[in-house]
Amino acid sequence: FLSSFKLADQTVPFYCSLMKLTRDKRRHLCAANSDINIDAQHVASFDLSVYRTLVKYPSEAILMIDVTLNQYFRDHLASDADDEIRFIARIYNLKDMTAMRSLGPADVDTLVSIKGMVTRVSKIIPEMKVAYFRCMDCFASVNVRPHKGRITEPHRCTNCKQPFTYMLQHNLSEFENKQIIKLQEAPEAVPEGETPSSITMTVFDNLVDFVLPGDRVVVTGIFKAAGVRTKSTSRVMKSVFKTYLDAIHVSKVERNKIMTSELVSGGTNEYQSAFEEGQPREDEEDSAVTEADE
């Protein structure tokens, strides 16, 4: 797919040229952006079975795409100066758009695309990406990556074989930026008499601080379910899980953040219209005529 997919008006592979463009941006502008936006419609037109696998098993498929992207870049496009470049696949433009209120248990751990409006954005949260453990007896070190949000501490040192001698070194560990965003249905998408549905989504790396409250967005991500403990000190889990969206790609669909009354109620607000068009309001015109007569 990377080496053979071409658009109708191009003679070179599309995603190869996209990786070259991103590489040149990193070289000349010192840009930190290494995201590669992959159109899901391109994948579907190339191989429909690959697209279905991507939608049904996104966690495994996107990981394989990331590995393939970086391996292809190292083998065909990279030079000695490009050792630090690491590409991240951002899948977007799915064939089907899912309504926020229709998300259910059948959509858990699948790739979905939803529309909504951002209502709340959290502060930037540092999340551990690589945990650095050091043995307190022989000072040997080991790196551990988290699995499903949990870090497993090594029980025995690989060098001196002593048990429970590792200690986590926070200043030598690696962290990544994380942000929690609350997304709500757009007013025009809410059925009459219903309350708007909302969902929490998490974003990482380059998607942090990309949106602000009031922005209308299209989000492509993995719909996930997480267990909730009955108490913070207990390991007993509730039977009802909490759902959230692990965002893969976010795109803005409207720049204007202020909802006018015309969009909400279908009417026209004369004060808003006069402000936008730079025209005087009706009461201002009457006062101006009165002053001229006097």
Side-chain angles (χ1 to χ4, degrees), residues 165-182:
T165 57
Y166 277 116
M167 181 172 290
L168 179 64
Q169 306 292 316
H170 292 86
N171 58 330
L172 298 177
S173 301
E174 296 182 18
F175 294 84
E176 62 180 348
N177 292 332
K178 175 184 175 181
Q179 201 170 38
I180 300 175
I181 299 173
K182 190 172 183 179

Side-chain angles (χ1 to χ4, degrees), residues 225-282:
V228 181
R229 294 185 181 182
T230 56
K231 296 180 181 179
S232 59
T233 57
S234 174
R235 298 181 65 89
V236 179
M237 308 294 288
K238 294 182 180 179
S239 60
V240 178
F241 281 49
K242 181 181 178 181
T243 57
Y244 68 98
L245 192 67
D246 187 4
I248 303 297
H249 183 275
V250 179
S251 59
K252 298 180 182 179
V253 295
E254 190 179 44
R255 292 178 180 269
N256 188 12
K257 301 176 186 176
I258 301 175
M259 288 291 295
T260 63
S261 59
E262 183 179 0
L263 293 177
V264 176
S265 61
T268 301
N269 189 328
E270 59 176 354
Y271 290 86
Q272 180 68 23
S273 300
F275 176 77
E276 291 178 350
E277 297 174 4
Q279 299 176 356
R281 301 193 305 268
E282 186 177 341

Side-chain angles (χ1 to χ4, degrees), residues 281-293:
R281 301 193 305 268
E282 186 177 341
D283 55 349
E284 292 179 348
E285 291 179 352
D286 294 340
S287 62
V289 172
T290 303
E291 292 176 359
D293 293 340

Side-chain angles (χ1 to χ4, degrees), residues 8-241:
D9 56 345
Q10 289 185 338
T11 58
V12 296
F14 175 72
Y15 289 100
C16 288
S17 60
L18 191 60
M19 283 191 285
K20 290 180 181 178
L21 182 63
T22 306
R23 178 198 61 188
D24 295 339
K25 185 186 296 185
R26 287 286 303 267
R27 285 179 179 176
H28 302 296
L29 302 179
C30 299
N33 187 6
S34 58
D35 294 345
I36 297 294
N37 296 324
I38 298 180
D39 194 332
Q41 300 281 1
H42 294 169
V43 179
S45 62
F46 181 80
D47 192 333
L48 189 58
S49 63
V50 175
Y51 173 81
R52 290 172 179 169
T53 303
L54 176 62
V55 172
K56 194 171 182 180
Y57 308 104
S59 299
E60 297 80 3
I62 293 176
L63 180 60
M64 293 177 64
I65 292 174
D66 286 343
V67 173
T68 305
L69 272 174
N70 289 279
Q71 187 62 42
Y72 183 86
F73 177 76
R74 296 284 182 271
D75 294 342
H76 299 89
L77 303 175
S79 61
D80 295 337
D82 301 325
D83 291 338
E84 297 182 357
I85 297 180
R86 180 178 178 272
F87 291 108
I88 300 174
R90 301 288 184 187
I91 312 297
Y92 72 104
N93 194 21
L94 298 183
K95 297 175 68 176
D96 300 319
M97 187 74 64
T98 307
M100 192 180 300
R101 62 178 56 245
S102 66
L103 291 172
D107 299 312
V108 173
D109 289 333
T110 63
L111 194 66
V112 297
S113 183
I114 61 174
K115 285 183 180 180
M117 185 170 60
V118 178
T119 58
R120 188 178 299 173
V121 177
S122 73
K123 297 179 181 178
I124 297 178
I125 305 169
E127 182 163 288
M128 191 169 290
K129 190 177 180 181
V130 178
Y132 183 92
F133 288 93
R134 176 180 290 172
C135 178
M136 294 294 97
D137 288 347
C138 65
F139 300 105
S141 62
V142 61
N143 292 328
V144 178
R145 291 185 177 273
H147 179 66
K148 294 184 178 181
R150 294 185 178 182
I151 296 175
T152 304
E153 180 183 357
H155 298 300
R156 187 177 297 273
C157 178
T158 56
N159 185 37
C160 64
K161 309 302 181 182
Q162 295 297 320
F164 304 107
T165 57
Y166 277 116
M167 181 172 290
L168 179 64
Q169 306 292 316
H170 292 86
N171 58 330
L172 298 177
S173 301
E174 296 182 18
F175 294 84
E176 62 180 348
N177 292 332
K178 175 184 175 181
Q179 201 170 38
I180 300 175
I181 299 173
K182 190 172 183 179
L183 202 64
Q184 181 178 288
E185 278 184 307
E188 65 272 11
V190 181
E192 187 175 355
E194 300 283 343
T195 57
S197 298
S198 61
I199 189 173
T200 301
M201 70 175 185
T202 57
V203 296
F204 297 90
D205 297 330
N206 296 328
L207 297 181
V208 170
D209 279 345
F210 179 71
V211 296
L212 296 173
D215 287 344
R216 293 176 179 242
V217 295
V218 175
V219 182
T220 303
I222 305 174
F223 187 59
K224 292 186 176 182
V228 181
R229 294 185 181 182
T230 56
K231 296 180 181 179
S232 59
T233 57
S234 174
R235 298 181 65 89
V236 179
M237 308 294 288
K238 294 182 180 179
S239 60
V240 178
F241 281 49

